Amino acid sequence: VDCHFVQDVHGNTRLQQEVRGAIEIQCIDCHGSADQRTNLITSGPAAYTSDPAGAPGRNLKALRTPFGKRRFEQVGPRLYQNSMVEKDLRWEVVQTADTIDPASEHYNEKARLAKTVRRDAGGQIVWGDLPGGKQDPCAHANKNMSCIACHSSWNPSCFGCHLPQKANKKMPALHNEGDVSRNYVAYNFQTLRDDVFMLARDGDVTGNRIGPARSSCAVHVGSYNANRESIYVQQQTISAEGMSGIAFSTNVPHTVRGGPTIQRTGPEKGRAVDPSAYLAGRNETKQCTDCHVARAGDNNAIMAQLLMQGTNYVNFIGRYCWVAAGNHGLHAAIVTEQEEPQAVIGSSLHRLAYPDFFKKHVDHEGVLRNAYEHPGIDVADGLSLRYRRAEVLDVQARGEYLYAACGEGGLRVFDIANVDNKGFSERIVTAPVSPLGQRFFVRTSYATAVAAPTTIAPDPTRTHRPENREPTVHPLYGYLYVADRDEGLITVPAGTLLDGNPSNNFLGREVTFNPGGILCGARAIAIVGTYAYIGCNAGLVVVSLDDPKNPRVACVVGEPVLKHPRSIQVQFRYGFVCDEEGVKVLDTTDLGNPRWAATLPLADARSIYVARTYAHVAAGRHGLVILDVEAPERPRIDQVFDAGGQINDLNDVKLGITYTSEFAYLADGKNGVRVVQLTSPETPGNQGYSPRPTPVLVATSPIPRGGHARRVSKGVDRDRAVDESGNPVAVFGRVGARPLSLAEQQKLYLFNSQLWTVTDDPRDYGPPLPLGAVPPAPPNP
């Protein structure tokens, strides 16, 4: 109420596209800007409607408190605001211009650096003055960035909400004035966090300035019919124009930090006031290293998060853990309870929420009792593949389908929409009606790996309405990418799997790419922006997919840097590769031309999964090796976990978060599927950005008949709105809002194609230039 009043609270009788369309005030209306003191006239998006006389903006000097005082009082050069709630409380409204004036008691050297920093004509960083008395040429000018981009301490994000609809459950509908329905939809928020800070371009209403963004609607929907059959389970959505429905929005966090001076007047003015509660916020504003590459090289994960490229930490595995089981085919282990709260079986939450079920699980020695299987071939393959082995080497689930690399069987897509439906006897099928109505396979020589360009579901084939201001989806997202041991890279158009029409699900290869045999021995593939990183006999081959119909080799990183790479993952500026010698770190600042950065010798490193500041390595007989990669060029082993020798054939690891706990899902070879709880509410620092894992083995799903767990399907990315090449993949909740483009991202860490770094110490940027004349204070009213 001290910031918003009259129409900000009660509206202006107009229907707005978003809440801020009706807001008339901005930060600068009270605090001024770096180059101008306040005139106490509102200038926000709706300021044009605030004065009945038609003047632009409302005169804040005319407002009064319920106690008869003026809301704002000018006392000499100081501006004070009187509280609307407490009669004898007031505070100084510090002027932004004073924070950069060395002669002012409110001077703050970091504030001066942030508000005046820029590059001069020679490209050197300079700071201190305002060229021409204006902030416009400076890096953080108000016309390009909102105040809250730096002055927000934290931002709430919802990284997963489960909306199950249940038929024949008569209840008042949520958010609809109590209308009664027989189809009740519960709203179960699962992963609420306040440890993430991201930036994006705001919507049209606020001038498309850079400001905070958050995950706002990472919805997974399910539905139960009148027979209590789960007719679809935790499916993600797609927006009308093709962006993934794992949605984001720009927002005002309302966690502004400043530290005003507090004064009491009237009868209480002699009472001591401890300003620590206000002043404590001074160090909670964003520092240089929160948004730029740190000179210490220890904020790579922070940058990946800030730019909305994702960190693999809040991914969603869900009720089923999908595993490639080699000659045994597919294995879908049920790893959570079906009802909310959807606790992982054997976890700390399971113990609290389902004590009876937890006791039974412990009595069964932690063995999961339910899983579904599929041999990995179709009935018709009995003849066509009679001389070939049926095996599944790699899997990736996305939506209602699971993509599988099946060795001599090539690429096969499985329909898994009814895996949770008790009304289906065969819950995993190669065709829901008839093999003649679909062609869900592509024959290849020996498919070793398959990659979807993302685990969410953007669709590049959908049409656009210009007034929606939605970006287009890059064409590469309309394909699946198969690594074949003999044929190299094979692209398969997969738009038909995203359009909701089952009548056109006929797959076929479009491009087979293996120039000069350079991709022979391909065994691993990762899609990084518009590039495919392929591990093969030649090393790591980087293939440009900017035009998916015409791929080209961009770079080859071979021996002695890499020796038969087996697994690849990229986080912002660094790639992490497992090869025969251990873990290699590559500098991927230039995605098309990665360079060696570091080596960590490690025996039997089979695959790697990087989540924020930790890398999790499946190290065969050694179990799970957890690396500290906060500083990627200085990786170190943090801990080795093998559950007392039980985990001894580890091939793969993927992570997923459920509520407040992180879990590792392991493909432990002959031992089957392992579920390891990495963090819990009892883990020190669990509410922080990247707590140190405290692993505990909580569940095991054996694969019968001698099956071997080889690969685990990656979970749904819930904090990724843009790829490493700047292509948006998720819908934004403001008209005109979007993630930063690649050019905008690179301004934060590249200049003339060269990396530049920062520290949080203003002295590292050279002496400040003279500030010059400071605008005079307005006259005392």
Side-chain angles (χ1 to χ4, degrees), residues 162-164 166 188 190 222-225 227-234 316 318-320 334-345 350 354 357 370 372 418-423 427 659:
H162 182 204
L163 275 64
K166 294 187 177 182
N188 303 289
Q190 289 192 353
S223 184
Y224 297 82
N225 64 15
N227 297 323
R228 293 181 297 172
E229 296 167 343
S230 177
I231 56 178
Y232 55 89
V233 57
Q234 293 183 316
F316 180 70
R319 179 160 164 77
Y320 290 88
I334 296 178
V335 294
T336 75
E337 295 292 346
Q338 187 175 49
E339 297 296 323
E340 297 289 341
Q342 191 187 7
V344 172
I345 298 171
H350 194 236
Y354 301 93
F357 293 170
N370 296 298
Y372 299 108
N418 290 288
V419 66
D420 206 44
N421 189 346
K422 65 181 182 179
R427 303 193 184 208
Y659 292 95

Side-chain angles (χ1 to χ4, degrees), residues 28-94:
I28 62 172
D29 295 340
C30 293
H31 292 279
S33 60
D35 53 14
Q36 186 175 357
R37 305 176 79 86
T38 179
N39 60 4
L40 292 177
I41 301 294
T42 60
S43 61
Y48 67 97
T49 66
S50 59
D51 191 331
R58 187 184 303 273
N59 185 355
L60 301 180
K61 295 188 289 289
L63 300 181
R64 291 184 178 271
T65 73
F67 315 108
K69 297 181 179 180
R70 291 189 180 276
R71 291 281 288 269
F72 295 92
E73 295 179 333
Q74 192 81 42
V75 180
R78 301 176 185 270
L79 178 66
Y80 291 94
Q81 184 174 2
N82 289 306
S83 170
M84 287 286 288
V85 178
E86 192 169 343
K87 181 178 180 181
D88 295 316
L89 178 65
R90 75 171 184 177
W91 53 86
E92 182 180 0
V93 182
V94 176

Side-chain angles (χ1 to χ4, degrees), residues 286-304:
K286 297 307 167 190
Q287 305 295 304
C288 299
T289 54
D290 288 315
C291 299
H292 303 276
V293 174
R295 192 166 301 167
D298 58 359
N299 70 339
N300 191 68
I302 293 289
M303 291 296 297

Side-chain angles (χ1 to χ4, degrees), residues 403-406 409-413 440-442 444 447 450 480 482 492 507:
Y403 317 132
C406 299
L411 169 72
R412 182 169 288 281
V413 178
F440 257 21
F441 60 87
V442 176
T444 76
V450 59
L480 300 178
V482 181
V492 178
L507 301 180

Side-chain angles (χ1 to χ4, degrees), residues 304-466:
Q305 193 80 79
L306 178 96
L307 300 176
M308 310 185 80
Q309 294 179 9
T311 62
N312 285 326
Y313 188 79
V314 294
N315 289 10
F316 180 70
I317 295 290
R319 179 160 164 77
Y320 290 88
C321 177
W322 293 94
V323 179
N327 296 335
H328 187 72
L330 295 177
H331 184 81
I334 296 178
V335 294
T336 75
E337 295 292 346
Q338 187 175 49
E339 297 296 323
E340 297 289 341
Q342 191 187 7
V344 172
I345 298 171
S347 67
S348 56
L349 176 60
H350 194 236
R351 183 183 69 248
L352 296 172
Y354 301 93
D356 295 338
F357 293 170
F358 178 80
K359 183 178 183 302
K360 290 181 180 179
H361 177 70
V362 173
D363 291 343
H364 283 86
E365 299 180 335
V367 175
L368 299 172
R369 293 184 291 168
N370 296 298
Y372 299 108
E373 305 165 9
H374 195 284
I377 60 172
D378 189 79
V379 174
D381 290 336
L383 294 176
S384 62
L385 296 178
R386 63 184 302 176
Y387 299 115
R388 301 185 181 186
R389 290 184 300 170
E391 59 182 342
V392 178
L393 305 180
D394 192 19
V395 290
Q396 177 59 62
R398 184 168 70 164
E400 297 179 331
Y401 301 107
L402 181 137
Y403 317 132
C406 299
E408 293 178 343
L411 169 72
R412 182 169 288 281
V413 178
F414 295 88
D415 189 316
I416 58 173
N418 290 288
V419 66
D420 206 44
N421 189 346
K422 65 181 182 179
F424 272 61
S425 58
E426 183 64 41
R427 303 193 184 208
I428 305 170
V429 296
T430 52
V433 181
S434 164
L436 299 179
Q438 292 183 333
R439 190 178 189 275
F440 257 21
F441 60 87
V442 176
R443 299 283 186 238
T444 76
S445 176
Y446 195 86
T448 55
V450 59
T454 177
T455 57
I456 57 179
D459 182 1
T461 67
R462 303 200 180 192
T463 58
H464 290 261
R465 296 171 65 95

Side-chain angles (χ1 to χ4, degrees), residues 33 49 118 120 124 127 149 159 179 192 200 215 270 311 319 344 481 488 494 545 583 613 641 649 661 663 741 769 775:
S33 60
T49 66
R118 63 192 187 280
D120 62 17
Q124 298 298 311
W127 66 287
F159 283 114
D179 292 346
L192 301 175
S215 172
T311 62
R319 179 160 164 77
V344 172
Y481 301 91
L545 298 173
V583 175
T613 65
F641 178 74
D649 189 22
S661 300
F663 295 86
S741 67
L769 300 172

